[in-house]
Amino acid sequence: MAKIVGGVTTSHIPAIGNAIAKELFEDPYWKPFFDGYPAVRAWLDKVKPDVAIVVYNDHGLNFFLDKMPTFSVGAAFEYENRDEGWGLQPLPPYPGDPELSWHLIESLVADEFDICSCQEMAVDHGFTVPMSLLWPDRAARTVKTIPVAVNTVQHPLPTPARCFKLGQAIGRAVESYGKDLKVVVLGTGGLSHQLDGERAGFINKAFDLMCLEKIVDEPETLARYSIHDLVRLAGAQGAELILWLIMRGALGDKVSKVHSNYHIPISNTGAGLLVLESA
């Protein structure tokens, strides 16, 4: 049977993609951020996942304000990255696992989650930046991918509690899959940041560090927040914490923390990083 080996949370700021392309790994501004990732890659080399379920939010490349599904799951053989601005160069397609995708979709619908299934799906920096951070050697990367896009743009957004339950349902779906696969779940985005309005540049370090602590053993504490709570405490875009809660829900009750890192500011964002291993 398939097994979730663990999860990784990481920020997905588009500026990171440009810094990777320019190889700014030793730049004083970027070095404390990039120095957090070798330990994650070492863990991935150890557990050797076959599939990465990437939970992210689309920023207008595949969905826009006129059509913004709450939860979408990719079911394609591959996922294209297209020009979305930000100065990012499009990257080659990412291989999918449509058989596991359809099992996931069918299981989630049976679990009373209304899913938008996507047999074609373009993925933006919310997906590609984490993949580049965790598997920088594209030629050696063998992991297949399943994008799970969550609306964090057009209100109303799904509640933290609903997202945590979606993660639990993803965990049940993977565990019921008959093939012998190792799966890692990526929760991307965050932490606190606001890109516009009167609070542009807002970062709440104390709240971010609390989230990094509580999500390990007390995720229900975070799931009790409302979206309005998250916007107030973490900024308008800090509501991306719901993507982390999906990852955490998928891992089950007991996890162990392997690694964490936190650095501010990266492009006006509290950049959080966490590796959790399933019990």
Side-chain angles (χ1 to χ4, degrees):
M1 304 295 285
K3 174 181 173 57
I4 294 178
V5 294
V8 180
T9 62
T10 175
S11 300
H12 64 216
I13 308 151
I16 298 169
N18 283 319
I20 293 172
K22 296 175 182 177
E23 300 184 355
L24 300 179
F25 309 115
E26 298 299 320
D27 182 272
Y29 178 84
W30 286 101
K31 181 174 171 54
F33 171 81
F34 284 121
D35 281 354
Y37 285 85
V40 187
R41 297 175 197 132
W43 177 78
L44 288 168
D45 286 342
K46 183 188 77 169
V47 298
K48 293 180 170 55
D50 303 295
V51 179
I53 297 175
V54 185
V55 184
Y56 74 108
N57 57 305
D58 182 85
H59 300 77
L61 182 65
N62 197 73
F63 304 111
F64 199 62
L65 301 182
D66 59 336
K67 298 180 185 66
M68 184 63 69
T70 302
F71 300 124
S72 305
V73 177
F77 286 96
E78 66 177 18
Y79 303 97
E80 291 186 1
N81 172 226
R82 300 171 187 162
D83 187 0
E84 56 172 314
W86 308 106
L88 299 172
Q89 294 299 311
L91 298 170
Y94 294 80
D97 187 335
E99 186 176 346
L100 177 55
S101 287
W102 281 114
H103 173 81
L104 184 61
I105 292 165
E106 290 170 359
S107 180
L108 292 176
V109 172
D111 226 343
E112 301 187 346
F113 283 90
D114 300 320
I115 300 298
C116 175
S117 56
C118 302
Q119 297 186 66
E120 291 185 6
M121 194 172 187
V123 292
D124 70 4
H125 67 270
F127 177 102
T128 63
V129 165
M131 292 296 295
S132 296
L133 285 167
L134 303 185
W135 290 278
D137 185 354
R138 193 178 186 98
R141 184 194 303 155
T142 59
V143 66
K144 294 182 178 180
T145 58
I146 298 178
V148 177
V150 179
N151 172 29
T152 69
V153 175
Q154 178 65 62
H155 289 259
L157 311 184
T159 66
R162 183 67 170 160
C163 289
F164 185 61
K165 291 175 183 176
L166 175 64
Q168 292 173 321
I170 289 173
R172 290 190 292 269
V174 172
E175 289 174 359
S176 67
Y177 189 58
K179 286 192 174 181
D180 185 17
L181 292 175
K182 291 185 286 186
V183 178
V184 65
V185 183
L186 311 185
T188 79
L191 284 166
S192 65
H193 62 301
Q194 179 149 333
L195 304 179
D196 52 8
E198 293 181 359
R199 294 202 305 165
F202 174 79
I203 293 175
N204 188 342
K205 179 179 179 181
F207 182 75
D208 290 348
L209 294 177
M210 184 274 291
C211 290
L212 282 165
E213 176 187 350
K214 295 292 185 183
I215 201 169
V216 179
D217 295 320
E218 301 176 55
E220 295 86 354
T221 301
L222 304 181
R224 285 195 285 268
Y225 284 111
S226 69
I227 290 294
H228 287 153
D229 290 334
L230 294 185
V231 170
R232 175 173 53 85
L233 292 166
Q237 286 73 42
E240 291 171 354
L241 179 67
I242 60 178
L243 311 176
W244 290 38
L245 283 168
I246 293 173
M247 179 284 300
R248 181 61 186 86
L251 268 55
D253 294 338
K254 299 294 183 182
V255 297
S256 58
K257 185 172 81 169
V258 176
H259 175 68
S260 67
N261 190 56
Y262 181 77
H263 179 62
I264 55 174
I266 289 295
S267 191
N268 289 327
T269 300
L273 174 63
L274 183 65
V275 180
L276 301 177
E277 189 164 283
S278 301

